[in-house]
Amino acid sequence: MKLLSINVGMPKEVFHENRTIRSAIFKTPVAGPVRVNALNLDGDQQADLTVHGGPSKAVYAYPSEHYDFWRKELPEIDFPWGSFGENLSTQGLLEKDLNIGDRLCVGSVELIVTEPRLPCYKLGVKFNRDDMVKRFLKSRRTGFYCAVLREGAINSGDAIHFLSRDDHHVTVADITRLYAFDRKDFAAMRRVIEVQALSESWRGYFRERIEKAADG
């Protein structure tokens, strides 16, 4: 497992559909070492902290393996590293194999996997495609967020190692599946809400789904 690219970007204003939007989804690769802090990377910020960022979404990683899929899906678009707004373009870490709560080491940084990325309309702004949010979610190629357990520095090319695997075995892909596709798999949702590493907003969402089903 490997870190292929570190990508950062500051919020900027873009004009889209007759209005100005502030976004930090536009990331570009940078040479290391790059400092990883509790809430973001040096040179990187989130534009709207009501839906992005915070301790549980400090670092966004996206599997490099998905880039081939998108290049075939949208051949008219260039896809340099960082195209999906990810801080880390990774190799060897796929959503279907990565558990919520898995602990990772890269450089001198320790991370814990917390949740999948849910696309917002700014992904459509980034690619200038109204269908991009639906495409992204349908593809299930979401990438994943991490919280920072130990601050430190990383370099492109650093190896990524597992420090531990969460024994609930709830994968990043499971969260996306239950949210968007298998919305009545309540048995799986009961397992999900036991995973402490999953953000409280997600656990509360699934808890509410279970309670509504029980009442209905």
Side-chain angles (χ1 to χ4, degrees):
M1 301 181 296
K2 189 175 181 180
L3 174 59
L4 298 186
S5 181
I6 305 167
N7 317 294
V8 299
M10 302 296 283
K12 69 177 187 178
E13 293 185 345
V14 294
F15 193 71
H16 180 74
E17 294 184 349
N18 298 315
R19 60 178 176 147
T20 299
I21 296 168
R22 184 172 169 82
S23 177
I25 197 172
F26 299 89
K27 311 288 188 190
T28 55
V30 293
V34 176
R35 176 82 183 173
V36 179
N37 306 302
L39 294 178
N40 48 37
L41 285 68
D42 279 359
D44 192 74
Q45 286 185 9
Q46 299 86 15
D48 184 354
L49 293 176
T50 63
V51 291
H52 299 293
S56 68
K57 295 190 284 188
V59 177
Y60 176 47
Y62 198 73
S64 62
E65 292 86 345
H66 297 337
Y67 272 74
D68 281 346
F69 169 85
W70 290 113
R71 287 172 179 137
K72 291 175 183 175
E73 280 280 299
L74 303 169
E76 71 279 9
I77 295 177
D78 290 329
F79 286 97
W81 299 134
S83 288
F84 296 92
E86 78 267 21
N87 301 118
L88 311 181
S89 305
T90 62
Q91 182 181 73
L93 292 170
L94 296 178
E95 296 90 344
K96 65 183 181 64
D97 303 319
L98 195 60
N99 299 320
I100 303 296
D102 283 353
R103 297 183 177 219
L104 306 170
C105 179
V106 53
S108 60
V109 175
E110 292 183 14
L111 305 171
I112 184 168
V113 179
T114 55
E115 58 188 274
R117 185 252 193 97
L118 283 185
C120 74
Y121 75 96
K122 290 179 181 178
L123 192 66
V125 173
K126 169 70 166 56
F127 291 101
N128 197 28
R129 292 188 65 102
D130 292 337
D131 65 345
M132 195 61 192
V133 170
K134 284 186 177 180
R135 278 178 176 266
F136 189 83
L137 190 58
K138 184 180 178 181
S139 77
R140 309 195 191 201
R141 294 166 168 83
T142 62
F144 54 94
Y145 283 109
C146 295
V148 178
L149 297 178
R150 184 178 70 193
E151 298 181 346
I154 55 176
N155 277 282
S156 297
D158 280 348
I160 302 173
H161 303 284
F162 282 114
L163 294 173
S164 65
R165 306 297 306 272
D166 191 86
D167 56 12
H168 291 90
H169 302 292
V170 172
T171 67
V172 174
D174 285 333
I175 304 301
T176 304
R177 174 179 67 83
L178 294 171
Y179 171 77
F181 302 97
D182 297 333
R183 297 172 61 83
K184 294 186 178 181
D185 187 351
F186 300 112
M189 291 180 197
R190 292 186 185 93
R191 286 198 305 118
V192 162
I193 62 177
E194 299 300 320
V195 182
Q196 295 298 315
L198 186 66
S199 68
E200 182 55 36
S201 61
W202 270 113
R203 292 165 69 203
Y205 169 79
F206 287 120
R207 198 177 292 119
E208 183 178 343
R209 291 281 307 280
I210 293 167
E211 291 170 356
K212 283 185 177 179
D215 293 340

